[in-house]
Amino acid sequence: MSITTAQVAGQELTGFKGQLIGPDDPGYDTARKVYNGMIDRWPALVARCASADDIAQVVGFARDHGLLLAVRGGGHHGAGLGTCDGGVVLDLSLLNDVEVDPEARTVRVGGGCVWGEVDRATHEHGLATPSGIISTTGVGGIALGGGLGHLTRKYGLTIDNILEADLVLANGEQVRASADENTDLYWAIRGGGGNFGVVRSFLFRLHEVSTVVAGPTFWPVELTAEVLPVYRDFISDAPRELNAFFMVGSVPPAAPFPEELHLRKVCGVVWCYVGDDTAEAARLMAPFLDALPQPLLHGPGPMPYPALQSAFDGVYPPADQWYWRADFVNEIPGDAVDQHAKFGAELPTWKSTAHLYPIDGAVHDHASADTAWSYRDARWASVYAGVDPDPANADLIKRWTVDYFDALHPFSAGGAYVNMMMDEGQERVWASYRDNYARLARIKADHDPGNLFCLNQNIEPASES
């Protein structure tokens, strides 16, 4: 029997403080799994790192042995980019420390944290930073890719709130990236994904967020063609305190939703008013609601911000089958509205959904060249997600997602939010970074010329001219 990668690592990584898990070790099947049940890969080694030195050792081991290297934070990426076949998975889950400085309004977060851990710690001080909409999602993936969620219109993308990051580079060097140190890396990691190194920790800016007025408003899915144009015209002019993303989906079959609505196909919005003034929230929502028929459900109410962040966790547990497609959108003309109405009515499973996240407000306070995230001028990020727990429905949800995307892509701005893309080819990556790609490729060549960090929406190192 030939020696395994796990055995080689055990011999070479003598100072390693974390856990090395190979195919013959107990817990391997658990260690290799990621969030998307559609992804089933068999790494030669899962290395759970306990320090920056551990990270540097694993990076060096993979580099020196020519092994494929996947970096896993929360493991949520739809395309399974946090794992690989036959290579090394650098697992950050042990690095889940959270340190809040309430006076400085900052939080230092380990690269292996999930957002729920951060939200709970910052909420104790009445503070929060923008993230996504599911609290089990890893911090690193969202933070490096951009970060769209309930606080976007008020406080920007997650990347707009990164003050610094501590990284391990492809050569094993440990560096800090900030506005004052390694400024090229600081620019690149804010939207450029995991292309440039492994982030041991982030320092985020915090904002006063405690109680929010949040929840969904649903109409029958048959009214999508009526509801979406009103939302389109309403949200961009709404005050920044009011966030709302549009959705088509099904009512979850559980409390607090009325039983008579369970599994009903609906369209609507999910609100988040940043504040606890329910009367003011209602006043701001009123122009939208008054322009439409009586909804099936109008559910916004005061809640702790972490409760909103975790509201979808039970609907989307680990191991469901997922297939994603996405686009940035500038305009939603009538023909696009009709396509949303068509595919919303054809939802293949009750967990399948499509969302339109607003990109305006604080996001537009930055120019497209200010960070690697290029689409500052877009107005929405669209995502189509086929989801179901049954592997037998994998082809069904994939076909609906791809058909939905193909029908709407002609109305897109060109690229997509990289955190919501599958493995769709290099042209899609180029389109998603636009004019920023050339600068990213030069920075990649400076810090990872061998493209060790290639399991991502990959930015290829610029070649020497």
Side-chain angles (χ1 to χ4, degrees):
M1 181 182 295
S2 62
I3 191 167
T4 67
T5 299
Q7 289 170 320
V8 172
Q11 294 172 4
E12 295 190 11
L13 303 182
T14 54
F16 191 79
K17 303 299 184 184
Q19 302 168 359
L20 300 176
I21 305 169
D24 296 329
D25 293 323
Y28 172 75
D29 279 338
T30 299
R32 70 182 182 86
K33 289 187 183 300
V34 290
Y35 181 78
N36 185 356
M38 198 177 285
I39 307 300
D40 187 24
R41 295 186 182 142
W42 300 78
L45 174 69
V46 177
R48 289 177 174 158
C49 298
S51 67
D53 288 341
D54 277 1
I55 295 171
Q57 284 196 70
V58 174
V59 167
F61 176 78
R63 182 192 64 236
D64 295 345
H65 288 275
L67 294 168
L68 199 59
L69 178 66
V71 180
R72 180 194 298 164
H76 268 237
H77 196 278
L81 297 179
T83 187
C84 59
D85 282 320
V88 176
V89 171
L90 194 162
D91 186 316
L92 296 169
S93 59
L94 298 179
L95 297 169
N96 62 345
D97 44 310
V98 181
E99 300 176 9
V100 181
D101 184 336
E103 295 199 3
R105 292 191 181 179
T106 62
V107 59
R108 189 171 296 279
V109 179
C113 281
V114 297
W115 278 108
E117 295 170 315
V118 180
D119 294 333
R120 287 189 292 273
T122 59
H123 184 69
E124 292 181 8
H125 305 279
L127 301 168
T129 199
S131 59
I133 66 166
I134 296 180
S135 75
T136 59
T137 311
V139 167
I142 285 183
L144 296 173
L148 285 165
H150 297 296
L151 301 181
T152 298
R153 300 191 73 243
K154 177 66 172 175
Y155 294 123
L157 303 166
T158 304
I159 58 172
D160 298 334
N161 294 277
I162 296 176
L163 297 174
E164 62 186 40
D166 292 329
L167 295 91
V168 177
L169 304 181
N171 63 3
E173 185 182 0
Q174 299 178 31
V175 301
R176 176 164 291 175
S178 71
D180 300 315
E181 300 177 74
N182 296 295
T183 54
D184 58 342
L185 275 175
Y186 182 59
W187 180 86
I189 63 171
R190 289 178 295 156
N195 275 282
F196 306 95
V198 183
V199 177
R200 162 60 183 91
S201 68
F202 298 89
L203 184 69
F204 294 107
R205 179 186 298 111
L206 295 174
H207 306 273
E208 288 190 17
V209 181
S210 182
T211 299
V212 295
V213 181
T217 303
F218 293 146
W219 287 266
V221 74
E222 293 81 8
L223 292 184
T224 299
E226 186 172 351
V227 176
L228 179 51
V230 176
Y231 167 80
R232 174 197 65 198
D233 297 339
F234 166 81
I235 190 61
S236 296
D237 293 329
R240 293 185 177 193
E241 288 76 15
L242 188 65
N243 199 88
F245 68 83
F246 181 84
M247 55 79 65
V248 293
S250 301
V251 179
F257 300 103
E259 189 171 350
E260 64 271 17
L261 295 183
H262 288 183
L263 299 180
R264 182 159 181 177
K265 292 181 181 179
V266 294
C267 67
V269 298
V270 177
W271 302 98
C272 176
Y273 170 75
V274 184
D276 59 3
D277 189 336
T278 55
E280 178 64 7
R283 186 186 72 82
L284 295 178
M285 296 174 190
F288 175 71
L289 299 171
D290 292 347
L292 291 164
Q294 185 76 16
L296 295 170
L297 174 72
H298 181 59
M303 65 178 69
Y305 178 68
L308 173 63
Q309 283 291 89
S310 60
F312 290 99
D313 292 1
V315 177
Y316 296 115
D320 280 353
Q321 308 280 304
W322 283 78
Y323 195 85
W324 299 66
R325 286 294 173 90
D327 261 326
F328 287 120
V329 176
N330 291 330
E331 304 293 338
I332 308 174
D335 288 347
V337 170
D338 292 342
Q339 292 297 329
H340 281 290
K342 174 183 182 295
F343 284 94
E346 297 173 356
L347 288 162
T349 61
W350 80 264
K351 291 193 179 190
S352 296
T353 189
H355 295 172
L356 284 162
Y357 296 97
I359 302 173
D360 54 38
V363 182
H364 286 182
D365 291 344
H366 302 268
S368 291
D370 287 351
T371 62
W373 206 85
S374 171
Y375 277 83
R376 296 284 181 173
D377 55 343
R379 295 180 64 194
W380 291 277
S382 63
V383 60
Y384 320 105
V387 190
D388 195 69
D390 189 350
N393 288 326
D395 289 342
L396 175 68
I397 61 177
K398 180 177 180 179
R399 183 168 62 251
W400 174 82
T401 301
V402 172
D403 288 349
Y404 200 159
F405 168 81
D406 286 346
L408 270 297
H409 186 61
F411 305 99
S412 79
Y417 177 34
V418 294
N419 284 355
M420 294 176 175
M421 287 167 54
M422 301 298 280
D423 188 0
E424 300 171 34
Q426 205 61 28
E427 288 188 5
R428 282 285 279 164
V429 178
W430 297 335
S432 298
Y433 288 111
R434 300 191 297 184
D435 293 344
N436 287 344
Y437 188 90
R439 182 179 176 186
L440 286 164
R442 291 193 298 270
I443 297 171
K444 177 78 169 184
D446 289 340
H447 297 288
D448 183 17
N451 205 11
L452 177 66
F453 302 113
C454 64
L455 287 180
N456 40 51
Q457 301 299 345
N458 194 231
I459 296 162
E460 297 174 326
S463 57
E464 295 184 8
S465 56

